[in-house]
């Protein structure tokens, strides 16, 4: 009999108590409401001691994500916690084993998480996949923009919500591994989290083209989310941000990094700009992921992928032939192959197929095994842009 089971609504208070203890989480009315909302929309797994007391837990929240036009079900992992007296007993290991198997059964192709330790989660098959561009600069260094024909209007959450949902979905950068947000997640992420202000940019035809979610505190403007559909919308909102340089000392902006930054807009580069690692990801079901990736059908010739080292999702270990035929590409798992082969771990598979690293980079550093002549073929089925994520689990 296992100590791991999927929890129900009757366990929410026990889960909240563990979260409060492990993360020193304030049990305010707002935090209780947020946690209950998250638990209600998640798959919650716990390890229980011999007296039936909750010892460890992991929450997995199912989201639909858009990865360069492919729609996958993703399990967002959060609130991984154990009471100190139950640590180093393998409880999280057993939960993750059960969670990954159940996620696969429920159609999950990908899983994301924000790690407290990259080595700890790497053992479960996760790898660094997303980065953040961080601007923490004096307001006087923030670049201004020329005047535009539209206007910026500050709105209440009720007014801003449908605009934010529409523009977030329309922005191309949010289709590079980003979440297809449901209504409950929007409320969880914004009004229930902090007392944000919402500003929308309207063009000369009064059509919303961008928005800004920000927090104004004494001496500091924090940009929580910034989306634009046009250059004009970017400039209009940027001018709005820059206009605060007389009322705040610092501007903080933390955004998904796609390889570009705002330094080119400044006369003097911003000294407080950095790029930091953030979320990890893993493919949960390699075969189904390949079948659900449309670009695989563009493969010019048959190849094979050999995935190794997936201790917590053993169904992914093995050889997957991508057989090019008259009617497309079939994905077949086999014991042996005579096809040109790429050998890689589940972590490197994830980084490749989510666009975080190129096959040339991985081959150069000895992190995949293949013939260099195969790289051109492999690249035809890989993204040519970096993944971006604006949602934290």
């Amino acid at each position: 009999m296992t100590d791991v089971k999927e929890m129900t609504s009757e366990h929410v208070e026990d889960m909240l108590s563990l979260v409060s203890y492990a993360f020193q989480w304030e049990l305010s009315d707002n935090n209780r409401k947020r946690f209950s909302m998250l638990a209600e929309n998640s798959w919650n797994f716990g390890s229980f001691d011999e007296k039936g007391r909750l010892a460890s837990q992991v929450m997995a929240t199912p989201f639909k994500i858009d990865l360069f036009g492919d729609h996958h079900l993703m399990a967002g992992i959060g609130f991984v916690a154990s009471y100190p007296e139950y640590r180093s007993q393998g409880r999280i290991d057993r939960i993750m084993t059960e969670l990954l198997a159940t996620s696969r059964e429920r159609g999950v192709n990908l899983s994301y998480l924000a790690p407290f330790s990259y080595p700890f989660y790497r053992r479960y098959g996760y790898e660094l996949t997303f980065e953040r561009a961080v601007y923490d600069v004096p307001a006087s260094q923030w670049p201004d923009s020329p005047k535009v024909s539209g206007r910026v209007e500050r709105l209440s959450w009720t007014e801003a919500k449908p605009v934010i949902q529409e523009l977030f979905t329309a922005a191309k950068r949010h289709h590079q591994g980003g979440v297809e947000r449901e209504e409950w997640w929007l409320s969880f992420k914004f009004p229930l989290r902090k007392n944000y202000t919402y500003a929308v940019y309207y063009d000369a035809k009064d059509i919303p083209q961008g928005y800004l979610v920000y927090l104004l505190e004494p001496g500091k403007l924090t940009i929580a989310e910034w989306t634009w559909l046009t250059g004009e919308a970017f400039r209009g909102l940027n001018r709005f941000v820059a206009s605060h340089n007389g009322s705040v000392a610092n501007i903080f902006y933390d955004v998904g990094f796609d390889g570009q930054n705002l330094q080119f807009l400044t006369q003097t580069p911003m000294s407080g700009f950095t790029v930091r690692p953030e979320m990890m990801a893993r493919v949960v079901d390699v075969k189904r992921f390949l079948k659900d990736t449309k670009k695989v059908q563009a493969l010019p010739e048959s190849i094979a992928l050999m995935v190794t080292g997936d201790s917590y999702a053993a169904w992914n270990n093995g050889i997957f032939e991508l057989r090019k035929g008259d009617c497309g590409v079939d994905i077949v798992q086999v014991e042996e192959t005579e096809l040109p082969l790429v050998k890689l771990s589940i972590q490197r598979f994830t980084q490749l197929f989510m666009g975080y690293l190129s096959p040339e980079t991985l081959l150069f550093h000895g992190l995949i095994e293949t013939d260099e002549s195969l790289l051109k073929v492999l690249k035809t089925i890989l993204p040519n842009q970096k993944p971006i994520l604006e949602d934290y689990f």
Side-chain angles (χ1 to χ4, degrees), residues 88-146:
S88 301
Q89 296 178 2
R91 292 180 182 274
I92 299 298
D93 289 357
R94 294 192 291 277
I95 291 175
M96 289 302 296
T97 299
E98 183 71 20
L99 187 154
L100 287 170
T102 302
S103 295
R104 183 196 184 205
E105 292 171 1
R106 293 176 181 176
V108 169
N109 282 353
L110 289 164
S111 180
Y112 299 170
L113 60 79
F116 74 91
S117 165
Y118 288 90
F120 179 81
Y121 285 107
R122 195 168 281 129
R123 67 201 246 193
Y124 301 119
Y126 292 83
E127 190 50 85
L128 173 64
T129 309
F130 298 99
E131 294 174 328
R132 304 288 287 179
V134 182
Y135 304 84
D136 191 358
V137 301
S140 60
Q141 288 188 10
W142 194 265
D144 202 349
S145 293

Side-chain angles (χ1 to χ4, degrees), residues 3 18 46-49 52-57 81-84 86-87 89 91-92 95:
D3 60 304
L18 175 50
S47 169
F48 294 79
D49 70 9
R53 296 173 298 199
L54 180 62
S56 304
Q57 69 175 34
S82 297
Y83 284 112
Y86 297 111
R87 291 172 186 161
Q89 296 178 2
R91 292 180 182 274
I92 299 298
I95 291 175

Side-chain angles (χ1 to χ4, degrees), residues 297-330:
Q297 295 301 316
L299 188 71
E301 59 186 74
S302 298
I303 63 171
L305 304 173
M306 182 176 181
V307 179
T308 64
D310 198 347
S311 302
Y312 287 83
W315 52 84
N316 289 328
N317 293 321
I319 300 170
F320 298 86
E321 289 188 339
L322 282 62
R323 299 175 182 173
K324 174 72 173 180
D326 294 337
C327 298
V329 176
D330 290 326

Side-chain angles (χ1 to χ4, degrees), residues 148-151 201-207 209 232:
V148 291
S149 59
R151 62 185 174 84
Y201 178 81
Y202 295 88
D203 65 16
K205 296 181 179 179
D206 214 33
I207 298 173
Q209 299 286 359
E232 180 190 279

Side-chain angles (χ1 to χ4, degrees), residues 298-303 373-382:
L299 188 71
E301 59 186 74
S302 298
I303 63 171
S373 62
L374 195 57
L375 296 186
K376 185 177 180 180
V377 176
L378 182 60
K379 287 181 71 173
T380 62
I381 61 173
L382 299 176

Side-chain angles (χ1 to χ4, degrees), residues 259-272:
Q260 302 183 41
N261 62 69
L262 302 178
Q263 295 282 33
F264 70 96
L265 293 175
T266 64
Q267 293 190 19
T268 302
M270 292 177 278
S271 57

